[in-house]
Amino acid sequence: MARALDLSSSLASLSPRDRRTLLIGGAAAAILFLLAVILPLDHSVSRLHDQVTQKQADLVWMRRVAPEIAAAGPVRNTSGESLIVIIDQSARESGLGAALTGSQPSGRGDLSVQLEKAPFDAVVGWLARLSQQNGVQIESATIDSAGEPGTVNASLVLKSP
């Protein structure tokens, strides 16, 4: 209470010009705080809230159509492209283009593929996508360390569906 009296008496002891300057400065500081801090935070929160709402709606949709997609099974090669084209194109898309050192078709519709110094995770992801998206089957695989951690040399025999 004594402090409030000190503040009140301090304001009263100021000249009218100084009091007006102090009040205008205080109002300007409050407005700047509102514009510089509170409004941007409110805008960010609103935007993030909208994003969460959209993602929740996407999740509900995905859960609704997931059984239908799972029942459809893997996508098969309907474009009529040869296995060698599918392998080459998908290897490049998976970042394995430089590691793909050779591919040799056999008479049974198989394709022997060699990869050198390929990232193991990329190879596994690539093979999974080939199987799921194109129905390509892995007849045999020999995978050895390429010396560097995480890199492999692979010799694969792939078969079209």
Side-chain angles (χ1 to χ4, degrees):
M1 182 86 177
R3 185 155 185 130
L5 290 176
D6 287 342
L7 183 60
S8 175
S9 63
S10 294
L11 283 175
S13 67
L14 294 175
S15 68
R17 178 178 172 214
D18 289 343
R19 264 184 276 166
R20 188 173 47 244
T21 303
L22 184 62
L23 288 173
I24 291 171
I31 290 171
L32 282 175
F33 180 75
L34 178 70
L35 293 174
V37 176
I38 302 298
L39 290 177
L41 283 176
D42 183 55
H43 177 70
S44 294
V45 168
S46 296
R47 185 175 42 83
L48 291 173
H49 183 320
D50 292 344
Q51 286 179 350
V52 167
T53 302
Q54 180 62 44
K55 295 205 181 283
Q56 287 172 335
D58 291 346
L59 180 60
V60 167
W61 176 82
M62 285 183 208
R63 285 183 175 156
R64 191 179 74 238
V65 300
E68 182 180 332
I69 293 172
V75 176
R76 303 293 178 192
N77 178 19
T78 58
S79 65
E81 292 178 326
S82 69
L83 183 58
I84 195 164
V85 171
I86 293 170
I87 299 301
D88 185 62
Q89 186 178 30
S90 64
R92 292 181 198 290
E93 289 171 357
S94 296
L96 295 171
L100 184 63
T101 58
S103 56
Q104 196 107 47
S106 72
R108 303 175 314 228
D110 295 350
L111 183 66
S112 295
V113 177
Q114 288 75 38
L115 298 166
E116 291 183 9
K117 296 183 181 176
F120 177 75
D121 293 341
V123 172
V124 172
W126 172 61
L127 291 172
R129 279 189 301 282
L130 276 173
S131 175
Q132 292 171 353
Q133 295 176 357
N134 301 100
V136 173
Q137 298 172 351
I138 303 167
E139 288 290 312
S140 67
T142 303
I143 300 175
D144 299 310
S145 174
E148 297 175 30
T151 60
V152 295
N153 294 328
S155 180
L156 309 163
V157 177
L158 304 174
K159 182 176 182 165
S160 61

